Amino acid sequence: MVDQKYTIPRWVSLLYRYGQMYIGDRLKHLDIGRGQHIFLNTLYREDGLSQEELSSYLKIDKGTTAKALKKLEEQGYVTRQVRDEDKRSYRIFLTEKALLIKDEVRAVLADWRTKVTEGLSEEEKQMALTVLEKMGTNAAQLYEETMKGSKETT
């Protein structure tokens, strides 16, 4: 029997939770809540994505995305504009306020990555990334199969 404290999902969950706490604490003076930074960081890479594109890229459900974006909009970090090609959906754009904190947000994320991989060789970092990417792909595929199966039975 495997000791439960040594399972892969436990360690992934631990990394995620501590990461959210660390990043959230470092960005709290900007009034950015836990989990909102990932939306900003994605928009820093490609501004003007639709809510659906953000949800799909981040693998986050549409309801959670809408709530996070609403809060970011209320805080003045993003604006939502109706898409010309589909009046029922929005494109999300960063505001000047969001652009002014870009370097700080990115520095906090980079700092977390540096601290969490401290003591690992470049080869170990690459191996960890490769393994986690495969696991993420497997999880996404399982989720898609499960969702497809549950939709067929309803």
Side-chain angles (χ1 to χ4, degrees):
M1 186 172 129
V2 174
D3 187 339
Q4 290 302 304
K5 70 180 183 177
Y6 297 111
T7 66
I8 292 170
R10 179 187 181 276
W11 288 110
V12 169
S13 175
L14 182 120
L15 282 168
Y16 174 76
R17 285 181 285 122
Y18 278 122
Q20 291 301 308
M21 289 187 287
Y22 179 84
I23 294 164
D25 187 57
R26 295 274 311 272
L27 297 177
K28 113 176 118 182
H29 68 283
L30 299 171
D31 203 23
I32 295 174
R34 289 189 186 157
Q36 292 175 342
H37 64 276
I38 61 175
F39 294 96
L40 288 175
N41 197 41
T42 301
L43 290 167
Y44 288 145
R45 282 191 215 112
E46 188 175 351
D47 201 10
L49 292 172
S50 69
Q51 283 186 213
E52 294 78 16
E53 289 167 332
L54 276 167
S55 288
S56 176
Y57 176 77
L58 294 169
K59 306 290 188 222
I60 295 176
D61 69 83
K62 291 177 185 178
T64 302
T65 298
K67 283 184 215 167
L69 292 174
K70 183 174 190 243
K71 182 138 167 87
L72 286 169
E73 185 176 30
E74 289 168 357
Q75 294 161 317
Y77 289 116
V78 300
T79 59
R80 294 192 280 184
Q81 297 177 7
V82 174
R83 293 175 64 188
D84 291 336
E85 59 273 20
D86 182 356
K87 302 292 185 201
R88 296 168 298 158
S89 68
Y90 295 91
R91 287 207 176 285
I92 312 304
F93 293 95
L94 296 164
T95 63
E96 186 64 29
K97 180 179 178 181
L99 294 172
L100 288 171
I101 64 166
K102 177 181 178 178
D103 290 342
E104 184 175 359
V105 170
R106 290 211 152 158
V108 168
L109 298 176
D111 187 51
W112 170 251
R113 281 191 305 272
T114 298
K115 285 182 173 23
V116 81
T117 59
E118 195 171 303
L120 297 180
S121 69
E122 288 305 314
E123 183 181 344
E124 288 171 321
K125 290 176 192 177
Q126 189 56 53
M127 188 182 336
L129 186 59
T130 299
V131 169
L132 288 169
E133 187 177 349
K134 285 180 183 177
M135 292 172 69
T137 300
N138 290 345
Q141 185 176 352
L142 177 63
Y143 176 77
E144 292 298 323
E145 291 169 0
T146 302
M147 290 307 295
K148 185 179 178 185
S150 68
K151 286 180 182 175
E152 289 174 357
T153 59
T154 56

